[in-house]
């Protein structure tokens, strides 16, 4: 086949293809354009949704990081709908309450001030006593917050495990070691092999319950030393004056010899 004949056949094939494509396009072109347009709009909508979700997640994490009080954490937990953020907010508020209940009974030190003479003066820091009733109320509030984590449907297992660790700590503080043991048993069941670090922590703390159950033994009361017995001679009437006279005679110089 010569080149001219081959070229003529190729041109005919192209012409046939274009004619068939034109017929097909006239019949289905509108549908194709609509499908492409819908796909483009769906892709754009998905990108916008993902962007808004990322911004919302960033805002929620920022709110959690800035929540420095149990009340603020509780407010976030009540406003969130996502199980993960809801459980995290309850957990943070509970940890803040537990830290408050276990803190020493005093206010933090205030910075030094400079006196009128230029010498630093440390102000007196007043002690803030915490009554057993106040401490128990704080522990109960922390327990309620930890229970809030467990009540969140669909929350991740790691949040639930940490909430049970907090409940076990509260039970130990109250001396309810049976309740603490139940929490540790549940942690070991829920943790499985995926959360081996938390399971190891629960197992170690559970092993310490045996020692915590033993009452604290105090040593014997110290015996006071016997009081010294006074010297009878020192308490004899006139003994002090006699001793002074003898001391005076010993200190006086001997008399000079009489002249011959």
């Amino acid at each position: 086949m010569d080149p001219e004949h081959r070229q003529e056949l190729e041109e005919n094939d192209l012409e046939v293809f274009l004619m068939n494509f034109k017929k097909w396009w006239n019949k289905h072109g509108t549908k194709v354009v609509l499908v492409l347009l819908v796909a483009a709009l769906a892709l754009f909508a998905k990108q916008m949704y993902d962007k808004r979700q990322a911004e919302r997640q960033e805002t929620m994490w920022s709110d959690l990081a800035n929540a420095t009080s149990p009340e603020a954490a509780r407010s976030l937990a009540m406003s969130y709908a996502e199980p993960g953020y809801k459980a995290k907010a309850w957990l943070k508020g509970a940890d803040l309450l537990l830290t408050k209940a276990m803190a020493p009974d005093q206010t933090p030190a205030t910075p030094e001030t400079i006196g009128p003479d230029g010498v630093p003066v440390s102000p007196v820091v007043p002690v803030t006593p915490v009554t057993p009733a106040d401490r128990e109320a704080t522990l109960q509030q922390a327990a309620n917050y930890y229970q809030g984590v467990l009540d969140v449907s669909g929350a991740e297992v790691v949040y639930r495990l940490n909430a049970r660790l907090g409940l076990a700590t509260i039970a130990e503080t109250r001396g309810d070691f049976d309740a603490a043991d139940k929490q540790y048993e549940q942690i070991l069941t829920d943790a499985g092999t995926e959360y081996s670090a938390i399971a190891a922590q629960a197992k170690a703390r559970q092993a310490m319950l045996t020692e915590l159950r033993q009452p604290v033994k105090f040593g014997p009361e110290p015996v006071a030393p016997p009081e010294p017995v006074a010297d009878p001679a020192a308490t004899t009437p006139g003994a002090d004056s006699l001793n002074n006279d003898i001391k005076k005679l010993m200190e006086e110089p001997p008399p000079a010899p009489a002249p011959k």
Side-chain angles (χ1 to χ4, degrees):
M1 180 181 297
D2 56 8
E4 294 182 358
H5 184 61
R6 183 182 298 108
Q7 183 178 1
E8 183 179 353
L9 291 176
E10 291 177 353
E11 290 177 354
N12 292 335
D13 292 340
L14 178 61
E15 184 178 358
V16 171
F17 171 77
L18 292 176
M19 291 178 61
N20 292 333
F21 178 78
K22 183 177 181 181
K23 292 179 180 180
W24 178 88
W25 182 258
N26 291 335
K27 184 177 181 180
H28 304 287
T30 304
K31 296 180 180 179
V32 172
V33 172
L34 289 176
V35 170
L36 293 176
L37 181 60
V38 170
L41 290 176
L43 179 61
F44 177 76
K46 185 178 183 304
Q47 291 177 345
M48 292 297 297
Y49 176 80
D50 292 342
K51 181 179 179 181
R52 292 186 61 182
Q53 284 295 105
E55 292 176 350
R56 189 166 187 269
Q57 290 179 3
E58 184 178 357
T59 301
M60 287 190 292
W61 280 118
S62 177
D63 292 341
L64 279 174
N66 295 328
T68 57
S69 67
E71 294 76 16
R74 178 182 182 277
S75 177
L76 293 176
M78 298 297 291
S79 62
Y80 289 160
E82 291 82 352
Y85 293 104
K86 197 178 192 70
K88 179 63 175 176
W90 280 122
L91 187 62
K92 182 170 185 179
D95 290 341
L96 290 172
L97 286 168
L98 184 58
T99 302
K100 178 182 177 181
M102 305 296 289
D105 301 341
Q106 61 181 10
T107 56
T110 54
E112 291 184 342
T113 57
I114 305 300
D117 53 355
V119 179
V121 178
S122 297
V124 178
V125 179
V127 175
T128 304
V130 178
T131 64
D134 293 338
R135 194 181 303 277
E136 173 58 27
T138 305
L139 287 174
Q140 183 57 49
Q141 191 177 7
N144 294 338
Y145 276 44
Y146 283 127
Q147 186 60 45
V149 179
L150 301 179
D151 293 340
V152 176
S153 177
E156 297 181 17
V157 178
V158 64
Y159 296 139
R160 303 172 67 86
L161 295 176
N162 281 279
R164 292 195 179 279
L165 284 175
L167 289 173
T169 301
I170 293 175
E172 291 179 6
T173 305
R174 290 171 169 172
D176 191 352
F177 302 113
D178 291 337
D181 185 69
K182 291 180 180 179
Q183 293 293 342
Y184 292 136
E185 285 293 337
Q186 190 63 48
I187 291 172
L188 295 176
T189 301
D190 296 342
T193 58
E194 185 177 359
Y195 300 97
S196 57
I198 298 180
Q201 182 182 358
K203 192 172 183 179
R205 290 175 56 174
Q206 187 181 33
M208 296 177 60
L209 292 179
T210 303
E211 299 180 3
L212 294 176
R213 292 176 188 270
Q214 302 297 328
V216 179
K217 296 182 179 180
F218 297 95
E221 293 290 336
V223 179
E227 296 183 359
V229 180
D231 186 4
T235 59
T236 303
D240 293 338
S241 59
L242 179 60
N243 292 335
N244 292 334
D245 293 341
I246 295 174
K247 183 178 180 182
K248 184 177 180 180
L249 290 174
M250 293 179 65
E251 292 178 352
E252 290 182 353
K260 297 181 178 180

